């Protein structure tokens, strides 16, 4: 992948999530990259000031309702009930 394509993709994510909140797998499906790449890009977007503020709607355990800390990652297992039925975190850009 060239440097130009790379730049374009990182610009695309903030645009997608400025309208509506999306989960990493939803973003990955739309722009056709892996979820891991989306997570890396979101971390970059969170650090950069130019896109606006990155809001994190935290992941949640669908089994016991435990709410995870708002972090840029997708937890695999609930620390309380050990369930792997986890609702992904969602991300949105708030324009400053
Ligand atoms: Zn749980």
């Amino acid at each position: 992948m060239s440097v130009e394509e790379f730049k374009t993709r990182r610009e695309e994510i903030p645009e997608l999530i400025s309208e509506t909140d999306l989960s990493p797998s939803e973003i990955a499906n739309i722009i056709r990259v892996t979820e891991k790449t989306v997570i890396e890009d979101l971390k970059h977007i969170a650090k950069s000031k130019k896109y606006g503020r990155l809001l994190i709607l935290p992941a949640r355990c669908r089994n016991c309702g435990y709410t995870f800390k708002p972090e840029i990652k997708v937890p695999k297992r609930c620390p309380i009930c050990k369930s792997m039925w986890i609702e992904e975190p969602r991300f949105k850009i708030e324009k400053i």
Side-chain angles (χ1 to χ4, degrees):
M1 184 182 282
S2 77
V3 175
E4 279 310 305
E5 285 171 81
F6 186 68
K7 256 190 203 168
T8 309
R9 194 191 70 231
R10 279 206 171 152
E11 300 293 328
E12 205 176 346
I13 294 177
E15 246 170 65
L16 278 173
I17 58 173
S18 66
E19 295 299 320
T20 181
D21 55 273
L22 291 171
S23 71
S25 67
E26 287 169 343
I27 298 169
N29 281 334
I30 294 168
I31 62 171
R32 295 162 191 273
V33 295
T34 64
E35 204 176 290
K36 188 170 173 282
T37 304
V38 172
I39 295 292
E40 281 165 18
D41 285 357
L42 284 169
K43 285 179 182 168
H44 169 84
I45 290 161
K47 278 185 209 141
S48 172
K49 296 275 178 280
K50 68 176 176 181
Y51 304 111
R53 194 149 61 96
L54 184 70
L55 302 179
I56 305 173
L57 292 86
R60 206 175 61 87
C61 173
R62 290 186 202 251
N63 185 51
C64 75
Y66 171 76
T67 302
F68 290 77
K69 275 182 281 178
E71 289 179 301
I72 305 175
K73 66 176 194 180
V74 180
K76 294 284 174 253
R77 187 183 288 270
C78 175
I80 306 301
C81 73
K82 311 297 179 199
S83 170
M84 290 175 79
W85 196 31
I86 306 295
E87 191 177 303
E88 287 179 84
R90 302 181 72 78
F91 299 89
K92 191 172 191 305
I93 287 285
E94 187 182 68
K95 299 282 182 203
I96 299 169

